[in-house]
mmCIF file of all heavy atoms in Angstrom:
data_model
loop_
_atom_site.group_PDB
_atom_site.id
_atom_site.type_symbol
_atom_site.label_atom_id
_atom_site.label_comp_id
_atom_site.label_asym_id
_atom_site.label_seq_id
_atom_site.Cartn_x
_atom_site.Cartn_y
_atom_site.Cartn_z
ATOM 1 N N GLY A 141 61.078 89.054 -9.953
ATOM 2 C CA GLY A 141 60.099 89.660 -10.858
ATOM 3 C C GLY A 141 59.766 88.739 -12.019
ATOM 4 O O GLY A 141 60.305 87.631 -12.124
ATOM 5 N N HIS A 142 58.865 89.193 -12.872
ATOM 6 C CA HIS A 142 58.595 88.473 -14.133
ATOM 7 C C HIS A 142 59.280 89.252 -15.256
ATOM 8 O O HIS A 142 59.614 90.427 -15.088
ATOM 9 C CB HIS A 142 57.093 88.317 -14.379
ATOM 10 C CG HIS A 142 56.306 89.585 -14.330
ATOM 11 N ND1 HIS A 142 55.800 90.093 -13.146
ATOM 12 C CD2 HIS A 142 55.935 90.457 -15.293
ATOM 13 C CE1 HIS A 142 55.150 91.219 -13.399
ATOM 14 N NE2 HIS A 142 55.212 91.468 -14.692
ATOM 15 N N TRP A 143 59.478 88.575 -16.384
ATOM 16 C CA TRP A 143 60.285 89.167 -17.457
ATOM 17 C C TRP A 143 59.465 89.394 -18.723
ATOM 18 O O TRP A 143 58.774 88.501 -19.183
ATOM 19 C CB TRP A 143 61.473 88.250 -17.772
ATOM 20 C CG TRP A 143 62.506 88.274 -16.685
ATOM 21 C CD1 TRP A 143 62.447 87.606 -15.493
ATOM 22 C CD2 TRP A 143 63.709 89.040 -16.673
ATOM 23 N NE1 TRP A 143 63.553 87.890 -14.736
ATOM 24 C CE2 TRP A 143 64.349 88.761 -15.443
ATOM 25 C CE3 TRP A 143 64.326 89.908 -17.572
ATOM 26 C CZ2 TRP A 143 65.566 89.338 -15.095
ATOM 27 C CZ3 TRP A 143 65.547 90.482 -17.240
ATOM 28 C CH2 TRP A 143 66.151 90.196 -15.999
ATOM 29 N N ARG A 144 59.613 90.626 -19.220
ATOM 30 C CA ARG A 144 58.904 90.971 -20.457
ATOM 31 C C ARG A 144 59.884 91.199 -21.596
ATOM 32 O O ARG A 144 60.974 91.749 -21.392
ATOM 33 C CB ARG A 144 58.098 92.262 -20.274
ATOM 34 C CG ARG A 144 56.874 92.108 -19.398
ATOM 35 C CD ARG A 144 56.090 93.420 -19.409
ATOM 36 N NE ARG A 144 55.047 93.433 -18.403
ATOM 37 C CZ ARG A 144 53.756 93.178 -18.663
ATOM 38 N NH1 ARG A 144 53.366 92.887 -19.887
ATOM 39 N NH2 ARG A 144 52.860 93.221 -17.690
ATOM 40 N N PHE A 145 59.419 90.851 -22.775
ATOM 41 C CA PHE A 145 60.191 91.121 -23.995
ATOM 42 C C PHE A 145 59.859 92.540 -24.460
ATOM 43 O O PHE A 145 58.693 92.925 -24.521
ATOM 44 C CB PHE A 145 59.804 90.116 -25.077
ATOM 45 C CG PHE A 145 60.410 90.410 -26.426
ATOM 46 C CD1 PHE A 145 61.761 90.198 -26.654
ATOM 47 C CD2 PHE A 145 59.621 90.905 -27.464
ATOM 48 C CE1 PHE A 145 62.325 90.465 -27.901
ATOM 49 C CE2 PHE A 145 60.182 91.174 -28.713
ATOM 50 C CZ PHE A 145 61.528 90.956 -28.925
ATOM 51 N N LEU A 146 60.901 93.305 -24.769
ATOM 52 C CA LEU A 146 60.710 94.688 -25.212
ATOM 53 C C LEU A 146 60.403 94.695 -26.715
ATOM 54 O O LEU A 146 61.272 94.441 -27.545
ATOM 55 C CB LEU A 146 61.984 95.492 -24.943
ATOM 56 C CG LEU A 146 61.912 96.974 -25.292
ATOM 57 C CD1 LEU A 146 60.999 97.733 -24.330
ATOM 58 C CD2 LEU A 146 63.318 97.595 -25.268
ATOM 59 N N LEU A 147 59.146 94.961 -27.035
ATOM 60 C CA LEU A 147 58.757 94.994 -28.452
ATOM 61 C C LEU A 147 59.344 96.245 -29.105
ATOM 62 O O LEU A 147 59.441 97.300 -28.484
ATOM 63 C CB LEU A 147 57.234 95.040 -28.580
ATOM 64 C CG LEU A 147 56.459 93.752 -28.308
ATOM 65 C CD1 LEU A 147 54.971 94.054 -28.205
ATOM 66 C CD2 LEU A 147 56.717 92.719 -29.400
ATOM 67 N N ASP A 148 59.704 96.087 -30.342
ATOM 68 C CA ASP A 148 60.112 97.227 -31.143
ATOM 69 C C ASP A 148 58.795 97.808 -31.705
ATOM 70 O O ASP A 148 58.058 97.096 -32.394
ATOM 71 C CB ASP A 148 61.015 96.701 -32.261
ATOM 72 C CG ASP A 148 61.577 97.814 -33.097
ATOM 73 O OD1 ASP A 148 61.322 98.991 -32.767
ATOM 74 O OD2 ASP A 148 62.255 97.490 -34.092
ATOM 75 N N GLN A 149 58.507 99.078 -31.375
ATOM 76 C CA GLN A 149 57.162 99.565 -31.706
ATOM 77 C C GLN A 149 57.028 100.010 -33.160
ATOM 78 O O GLN A 149 56.815 101.179 -33.466
ATOM 79 C CB GLN A 149 56.755 100.644 -30.713
ATOM 80 C CG GLN A 149 56.604 100.005 -29.331
ATOM 81 C CD GLN A 149 56.042 100.931 -28.286
ATOM 82 O OE1 GLN A 149 56.263 102.128 -28.328
ATOM 83 N NE2 GLN A 149 55.308 100.374 -27.334
ATOM 84 N N THR A 150 57.158 99.026 -34.008
ATOM 85 C CA THR A 150 56.951 99.248 -35.448
ATOM 86 C C THR A 150 55.730 98.434 -35.854
ATOM 87 O O THR A 150 55.098 97.800 -35.009
ATOM 88 C CB THR A 150 58.154 98.723 -36.254
ATOM 89 O OG1 THR A 150 58.360 97.358 -35.835
ATOM 90 C CG2 THR A 150 59.406 99.527 -35.979
ATOM 91 N N ARG A 151 55.434 98.395 -37.129
ATOM 92 C CA ARG A 151 54.362 97.495 -37.576
ATOM 93 C C ARG A 151 54.973 96.121 -37.836
ATOM 94 O O ARG A 151 56.084 96.004 -38.365
ATOM 95 C CB ARG A 151 53.694 98.042 -38.837
ATOM 96 C CG ARG A 151 52.934 99.334 -38.611
ATOM 97 C CD ARG A 151 51.906 99.553 -39.689
ATOM 98 N NE ARG A 151 50.703 98.748 -39.466
ATOM 99 C CZ ARG A 151 49.687 99.134 -38.699
ATOM 100 N NH1 ARG A 151 49.695 100.304 -38.094
ATOM 101 N NH2 ARG A 151 48.641 98.344 -38.540
ATOM 102 N N ILE A 152 54.235 95.088 -37.450
ATOM 103 C CA ILE A 152 54.714 93.716 -37.680
ATOM 104 C C ILE A 152 53.857 93.158 -38.810
ATOM 105 O O ILE A 152 52.623 93.176 -38.722
ATOM 106 C CB ILE A 152 54.553 92.859 -36.414
ATOM 107 C CG1 ILE A 152 55.263 93.540 -35.233
ATOM 108 C CG2 ILE A 152 55.089 91.450 -36.646
ATOM 109 C CD1 ILE A 152 54.920 92.941 -33.887
ATOM 110 N N GLU A 153 54.502 92.692 -39.856
ATOM 111 C CA GLU A 153 53.739 92.290 -41.044
ATOM 112 C C GLU A 153 54.113 90.891 -41.489
ATOM 113 O O GLU A 153 55.256 90.474 -41.358
ATOM 114 C CB GLU A 153 54.004 93.289 -42.170
ATOM 115 C CG GLU A 153 53.695 94.701 -41.695
ATOM 116 C CD GLU A 153 53.627 95.734 -42.789
ATOM 117 O OE1 GLU A 153 54.444 95.642 -43.711
ATOM 118 O OE2 GLU A 153 52.759 96.625 -42.682
ATOM 119 N N TRP A 154 53.117 90.168 -41.980
ATOM 120 C CA TRP A 154 53.411 88.883 -42.625
ATOM 121 C C TRP A 154 52.283 88.540 -43.600
ATOM 122 O O TRP A 154 51.177 89.069 -43.489
ATOM 123 C CB TRP A 154 53.608 87.768 -41.589
ATOM 124 C CG TRP A 154 52.372 87.270 -40.881
ATOM 125 C CD1 TRP A 154 51.575 86.224 -41.259
ATOM 126 C CD2 TRP A 154 51.807 87.778 -39.662
ATOM 127 N NE1 TRP A 154 50.559 86.049 -40.350
ATOM 128 C CE2 TRP A 154 50.677 86.987 -39.355
ATOM 129 C CE3 TRP A 154 52.140 88.821 -38.800
ATOM 130 C CZ2 TRP A 154 49.874 87.200 -38.235
ATOM 131 C CZ3 TRP A 154 51.335 89.039 -37.675
ATOM 132 C CH2 TRP A 154 50.227 88.238 -37.404
ATOM 133 N N ALA A 155 52.624 87.696 -44.548
ATOM 134 C CA ALA A 155 51.627 87.214 -45.508
ATOM 135 C C ALA A 155 51.068 85.917 -44.942
ATOM 136 O O ALA A 155 51.728 84.880 -44.995
ATOM 137 C CB ALA A 155 52.287 86.993 -46.862
ATOM 138 N N ASP A 156 49.875 85.985 -44.404
ATOM 139 C CA ASP A 156 49.295 84.820 -43.745
ATOM 140 C C ASP A 156 48.726 83.858 -44.802
ATOM 141 O O ASP A 156 48.058 84.282 -45.742
ATOM 142 C CB ASP A 156 48.178 85.295 -42.807
ATOM 143 C CG ASP A 156 47.738 84.214 -41.849
ATOM 144 O OD1 ASP A 156 46.945 83.331 -42.263
ATOM 145 O OD2 ASP A 156 48.186 84.241 -40.695
ATOM 146 N N GLY A 157 48.992 82.584 -44.612
ATOM 147 C CA GLY A 157 48.564 81.567 -45.577
ATOM 148 C C GLY A 157 47.058 81.448 -45.712
ATOM 149 O O GLY A 157 46.558 80.872 -46.686
#
Side-chain angles (χ1 to χ4, degrees):
H142 53 273
W143 288 79
R144 288 186 191 261
F145 173 73
L146 183 70
L147 285 169
D148 184 4
Q149 294 187 328
T150 53
R151 294 201 79 86
I152 305 168
E153 305 193 322
W154 73 92
D156 193 280

